[in-house]
Amino acid sequence: MTEFEDPLYSSYVSNCVLNAFSSYSAIMLNSLTIQALRRTSSLPKPLRILLQSLAVSDLGVGLLAQPLYIAVLFKWINEVEDNLLNNIFDVITSLFYYASFLGLMALSLDRFLSVHLHLRYQELVTHKRVVGLVISVWLLSTFLSLILLWLPSDFVIDLLEITIFGFCFVCVTLFYFRIYRTVRRLEIQMQALHLGQAFQNQNDEMKNFLRLKKSTISTFYIYVVFMICYLPDYCSAILNVLQSQPNLFLDGFDLFTFTLVFANSSFNPVIYCWRVKHIRHTARSPFVS
């Protein structure tokens, strides 16, 4: 095929190159992050488990989803029909897609409960319950990805994606809105009590609150970057549902929105290392003699 035979040829090639680099960075960064999280004891265990689950999902994107996407792009470049490859790509991509959605919602719920339950958090949010939640997230993601094989059309698939993403987006946004209001109220109460800096450093409750606030802000950054990477694909799905005729611009836009979604898997470990000192130091340790 020559470049002039398909108007999307340059988009195919560009996305192949971008995903090749992004896949490598996702594998390397998330492998380091998973090891760092396992060795970081300063984070609360529930938060650590949820971050590990998200990192495993991101690692899966780099190991499986992006190489499959490159293979699909090469197939389109060479105009080869391969329904098996399409089905495998759809299932694998959807698995990590939904695992990321639901994992982010679980992470936001954890931070919401940590702020609202406060002293009762450790009593109610136990290791066993969090592990059960993570297993449920992956089982539900597997189920949602497999039913794609039996859905009648891309239109129905796009509707399912829009519904799930919209639900997760609303829930996570509400969680962080409630977290923000609660944190602001606590800060105002502390200011009203005229807590001085010296007392803050000595007070265990204040230290716990500041630590909780920092971890919540860190997960909020994950949410913001997640939305930046996923919203274009969400908008593309809506446009695909609304359009009645093939659209060359939208087809090209779809290619890059997929690449941006996959790139999120490389951004998350950077946020972990940037925001959490212990993860940053642990991740750097293999390179420090």
Side-chain angles (χ1 to χ4, degrees):
M1 171 181 288
T2 65
E3 181 179 353
F4 303 101
E5 291 177 354
D6 191 331
L8 293 176
Y9 178 85
S10 60
S11 296
Y12 294 150
V13 174
S14 299
N15 280 276
C16 282
V17 174
L18 290 172
N19 278 277
F21 283 107
S22 179
S23 174
Y24 176 78
S25 63
I27 293 170
M28 297 302 296
L29 292 174
N30 284 289
S31 297
L32 285 173
T33 299
I34 291 170
Q35 292 300 318
L37 285 168
R38 291 178 60 187
R39 295 159 56 188
T40 302
S41 58
S42 60
L43 289 176
K45 187 171 289 187
L47 178 59
R48 198 161 73 242
I49 293 171
L50 292 171
L51 288 176
Q52 282 179 319
S53 176
L54 200 57
V56 168
S57 175
D58 290 335
L59 178 62
V61 169
L63 278 173
L64 297 174
Q66 289 184 280
L68 283 170
Y69 188 43
I70 293 172
V72 169
L73 291 172
F74 270 111
K75 178 179 71 74
W76 290 341
I77 289 173
N78 295 289
E79 296 184 338
V80 176
E81 291 295 330
D82 190 341
N83 290 330
L84 177 60
L85 178 60
N86 288 341
N87 290 336
I88 294 174
F89 171 71
D90 288 341
V91 170
I92 294 297
T93 301
S94 298
L95 170 63
F96 297 119
Y97 199 84
Y98 293 130
S100 296
F101 276 144
L102 299 174
L104 178 68
M105 191 165 70
L107 186 63
S108 305
L109 175 61
D110 173 75
R111 294 298 84 196
F112 172 78
L113 293 176
S114 67
V115 169
H116 281 264
L117 295 177
H118 198 40
L119 297 177
R120 297 184 62 206
Y121 171 75
Q122 292 184 347
E123 175 188 347
L124 297 177
V125 183
T126 63
H127 176 265
K128 184 179 295 186
R129 287 174 178 171
V130 174
V131 170
L133 176 62
V134 169
I135 292 173
S136 299
V137 164
W138 281 96
L139 288 177
L140 180 58
S141 300
T142 302
F143 170 75
L144 290 173
S145 62
L146 288 176
I147 64 172
L148 295 179
L149 298 175
W150 288 274
L151 292 179
S153 66
D154 290 340
F155 176 83
V156 178
I157 293 174
D158 285 334
L159 278 180
L160 178 65
E161 176 187 323
I162 291 169
T163 302
I164 294 175
F165 184 94
F167 174 75
C168 292
F169 173 74
V170 171
C171 289
V172 173
T173 302
L174 287 175
F175 285 148
Y176 278 109
F177 177 72
R178 293 289 302 277
I179 289 170
Y180 170 78
R181 291 186 60 183
T182 302
V183 170
R184 285 296 300 158
R185 186 180 72 249
L186 291 174
E187 286 182 333
I188 292 172
Q189 290 175 353
M190 291 175 184
Q191 290 173 1
L193 293 174
H194 302 289
L195 295 176
Q197 184 65 35
F199 183 73
Q200 289 182 22
N201 293 333
Q202 298 174 2
N203 187 276
D204 290 338
E205 186 174 349
M206 174 62 72
K207 289 181 180 179
N208 290 335
F209 171 74
L210 294 176
R211 191 180 301 114
L212 175 62
K213 179 181 176 182
K214 183 178 180 180
S215 66
T216 302
I217 292 174
S218 299
T219 59
F220 179 73
Y221 281 123
I222 296 173
Y223 160 70
V224 170
V225 174
F226 187 94
M227 289 298 112
I228 292 173
C229 292
Y230 276 74
L231 274 176
D233 184 66
Y234 182 65
C235 295
S236 177
I238 294 175
L239 292 175
N240 282 325
V241 169
L242 295 177
Q243 73 164 352
S244 57
Q245 299 294 330
N247 187 299
L248 185 62
F249 172 79
L250 187 56
D251 290 341
F253 183 67
D254 279 341
L255 297 175
F256 286 98
T257 60
F258 258 81
T259 297
L260 184 58
V261 165
F262 292 147
N264 179 250
S265 297
S266 297
F267 297 150
N268 283 337
V270 175
I271 298 174
Y272 305 152
C273 293
W274 168 46
R275 294 294 305 175
V276 184
K277 179 178 65 176
H278 296 283
I279 294 179
R280 180 168 64 251
H281 290 169
T282 306
R284 287 174 54 191
S285 60
F287 305 100
V288 179
S289 57

